[in-house]
Amino acid sequence: MTRLTLGISAPSLLVAAWIGAQGGEPPRAPLLWGGDAEGGAPFVEADPTDASKVRGFDVEVAETIARGLGREARFLQVQWSSIDQSVERGDFAIGLSGMEDTPARRARHSVTVPYFEFREVLAVRSADVGRFSRLADLRGRRVATLGATVAYDILVTARDSLGVIPVSYDDDVHPYSDLVAGRVDAVLLDHIIAQRALRRRGGAGFVIQPQAVAVGRYVGVLAKGDAALRDSVDVVLRAAMRDGTLERIFRRWDVWDPGQGALFRRVAGRAEDGPFEVGAQHAAPLRDAAPLRPGVWAYLPSLGRAAVITAVLSVLAMAVAVVVGLVVASGRVYGPATVRAAMTAYVEVIRGTPVLLQLFVLYYGLAGLVRLPAFLAAVLGLGLNYAAYEAEIYRSALEAVSRAQLEAARTLGFSEAQILRLVRGPQALRYALAPMTNDFVALLKDSSLVSVLTVVELTKQTAIYATNIGSWIMPGVLCGVVYLAMSLPLARLGRRLERRWGAA
């Protein structure tokens, strides 16, 4: 079973030459691929024994592709909904994480040959097995699925033709829990996801209807301009279909069925390509192919690293916010009319648009002009957003200083710079301290949004943990404790400074 770690290394040519001189093989060039461990087993999941590594059949497919290309697979965590944008941006060479083959995806990207066939199946409560066997039986009923999937498109079409009510989710755990709780009447998703959810519940709570609503296929996604690499990947995938490599992978993860053999024959079973060995070699399913429930201790190191990333990111973003906020506030208070208008426009635009939208524009939208590293884009995105709020805090604090004091200082011959440094600034700082502390705590929590930029911070790592164990109770408690451990000292420090400076 293949396990891959995050990161990418670049050994020097000197080291490679030395290894070659010793008779060993030189290090292979890396093949960076993207996936979302929050999607869970059997696609890509955090290894229950070491959460810094990933495993799953897509992990092994990526390793097979890399080996066939003479390269070494390296994994990059990216939110599933952002894989298409990230591959075009050049964050990695290929996206593999249950990526569905659709006409829109083929139009925008270079897409590999399909390597797995899935069925869209309905899951219904046990009591409704006889009532809801087809989508047509669900007129006026709420049917849940994942957003931005083939299943969601099917439900949108069925909404107009059959009167079905689509309910979109951001993960594949809550649709089934809501089904059992009676909040929705059915779930439409890939049969692999449905079977995993059923195993998590011990086979109780709902039933998977045997009749498939539709059939889809998983593919690898490459950038539109990487057609040459895509063609090489196709050669490797077809060879892996013919020699039984993919079959062994899928059997290990207990997802093999006769439909895969038929797909392989259609895609790669030409006589001129050599013998076809589907079914010739079997591999016993992994005993841990079903999602495990690892102990808390296995995830603490990864949660700790993610917490450090969150803390460093928040501190740096707050520093950007303070500096830019001071510049904007100063421009609004002391600048000429044109500067005041520009600073006001900045504040209103930033405050009037979602921070998530700003992060997407900064990281993906501007990629054609400047390709910022993910962490830097996260710092700048959060920092520039909070700068607008900080600017308003500083402006109101500056204007809160009484005009009588300012006029008195001017009468005494103080320059505006001296008034700001000796009279206005110190008082404004006292007024601004409490809301600044509040903004820092808010920024600390909003840092969870940067997972859309391939940054694995605390909340994203917690979501990966929750997917692995099929519950948010323990991961949620741990995540909340860590956030409190970081935010409460900030609040206490702010109160101490308020008391100290207030008495000065």
Side-chain angles (χ1 to χ4, degrees):
M1 177 173 55
T2 302
R3 291 180 172 88
L4 300 179
T5 56
L6 295 173
I8 182 169
S9 60
S12 67
L13 293 176
L14 182 61
V15 173
W18 182 86
I19 293 176
Q22 300 302 311
E25 294 185 3
R28 293 179 293 173
L31 177 70
L32 195 61
W33 68 280
D36 188 359
E38 190 179 352
F43 303 97
V44 182
E45 70 165 351
D47 189 335
T49 61
D50 184 353
S52 66
K53 301 177 181 179
V54 290
R55 65 176 197 168
F57 74 72
D58 270 327
V59 177
E60 297 195 34
V61 170
E63 177 65 22
T64 299
I65 292 171
R67 187 166 53 249
L69 297 175
R71 300 167 71 175
E72 182 178 0
R74 289 285 185 270
F75 174 71
L76 178 67
Q77 167 64 38
V78 59
Q79 185 166 297
W80 188 80
S81 60
S82 299
I83 289 177
D84 287 327
Q85 298 98 309
S86 287
V87 76
E88 288 296 336
R89 188 181 182 276
D91 292 334
F92 45 82
I94 182 170
L96 290 167
S97 196
M99 304 300 292
E100 298 171 338
D101 189 7
T102 65
R105 182 163 281 140
R106 285 189 173 275
R108 293 193 301 264
H109 312 288
S110 294
V111 175
T112 70
V113 294
Y115 62 88
F116 189 88
E117 187 169 272
F118 64 89
R119 302 180 301 280
E120 299 285 6
V121 295
L122 279 174
V124 299
R125 286 184 291 276
S126 302
D128 294 330
V129 172
R131 298 174 59 200
F132 307 137
S133 59
R134 304 172 303 160
L135 276 180
D137 300 329
L138 289 158
R139 179 178 296 275
R141 301 284 182 169
R142 293 164 57 85
V143 183
T145 191
L146 274 171
T149 61
V150 169
Y152 181 74
D153 293 339
I154 292 172
L155 290 182
V156 170
T157 301
R159 177 184 59 193
D160 300 329
S161 61
L162 301 176
V164 170
I165 303 173
V167 182
S168 175
Y169 286 77
D170 292 329
D171 65 84
D172 57 30
V173 174
H174 290 94
Y176 293 99
S177 61
D178 281 358
L179 172 65
V180 175
R183 298 187 181 99
V184 296
D185 299 290
V187 177
L188 180 67
L189 275 173
D190 307 5
H191 74 276
I192 293 179
I193 298 173
Q195 290 167 357
R196 178 183 66 187
L198 193 60
R199 286 196 299 269
R200 278 205 181 111
R201 302 192 66 87
F206 65 88
V207 174
I208 301 172
Q209 296 288 17
Q211 182 178 352
V213 174
V215 174
R217 296 166 186 86
Y218 297 141
V219 294
V221 181
L222 295 87
K224 189 70 173 178
D226 280 347
L229 177 59
R230 186 271 318 276
D231 293 342
S232 298
V233 172
D234 284 350
V235 171
V236 175
L237 286 175
R238 287 192 172 101
M241 293 176 190
R242 290 193 299 271
D243 66 17
T245 299
L246 287 185
E247 180 181 357
R248 288 190 293 273
I249 291 173
F250 296 147
R251 285 187 181 277
R252 273 197 295 271
W253 288 95
D254 199 23
V255 295
W256 176 264
D257 56 58
Q260 309 314 319
L263 172 69
F264 289 0
R265 289 185 179 89
R266 291 196 301 273
V267 173
R270 297 175 298 177
E272 61 267 30
D273 290 331
F276 201 87
E277 301 182 16
V278 166
Q281 302 180 45
H282 292 175
L286 292 171
R287 286 181 296 175
D288 56 353
L292 296 177
R293 292 184 178 272
V296 174
W297 295 108
Y299 280 92
L300 287 182
S302 291
L303 290 174
R305 287 191 291 270
V308 171
I309 291 174
T310 295
V312 173
L313 170 67
S314 300
V315 169
L316 294 177
M318 191 63 188
V320 171
V322 169
V323 173
V324 176
L326 285 172
V327 172
V328 173
S330 300
R332 295 194 69 183
V333 174
Y334 293 105
T338 53
V339 172
R340 291 200 303 272
M343 297 298 100
T344 300
Y346 172 82
V347 170
E348 296 304 327
V349 168
I350 295 297
R351 292 196 308 177
T353 55
V355 62
L356 191 60
L357 174 63
Q358 296 164 20
L359 289 170
F360 272 121
V361 170
L362 185 64
Y363 189 66
Y364 294 113
L366 300 181
L369 300 175
V370 55
R371 289 179 54 185
L372 298 172
F375 188 82
L376 177 59
V379 170
L380 291 177
L382 287 177
L384 293 176
N385 178 270
Y386 271 81
Y389 298 93
E390 291 298 299
E392 288 299 276
I393 291 173
Y394 305 151
R395 182 183 64 82
S396 61
L398 289 169
E399 293 178 348
V401 178
S402 70
R403 292 186 176 276
Q405 295 187 52
L406 303 181
E407 292 300 329
R410 294 187 183 103
T411 301
L412 293 173
F414 285 20
S415 66
E416 288 299 321
Q418 288 176 317
I419 292 173
L420 177 62
R421 181 168 58 88
L422 300 174
V423 179
R424 204 173 197 181
Q427 295 185 67
L429 178 60
R430 294 173 187 169
Y431 297 146
L433 183 59
M436 280 178 63
T437 303
N438 183 68
D439 268 3
F440 196 3
V441 174
L443 188 152
L444 186 69
K445 294 179 291 184
D446 279 351
S447 65
S448 61
L449 297 173
V450 303
S451 62
V452 300
L453 309 186
T454 75
V455 178
V456 184
E457 42 63 60
L458 181 57
T459 302
K460 185 64 174 182
Q461 189 65 56
T462 302
I464 293 171
Y465 176 20
T467 298
N468 262 29
I469 67 173
S471 170
W472 267 92
I473 297 176
M474 180 57 70
V477 169
L478 281 176
C479 185
V481 168
V482 175
Y483 272 116
L484 284 173
M486 291 190 289
S487 61
L488 289 180
L490 288 174
R492 186 172 181 179
L493 175 62
R495 287 194 296 270
R496 287 185 60 183
L497 292 176
E498 285 182 67
R499 289 194 298 267
R500 178 178 177 181
W501 291 345

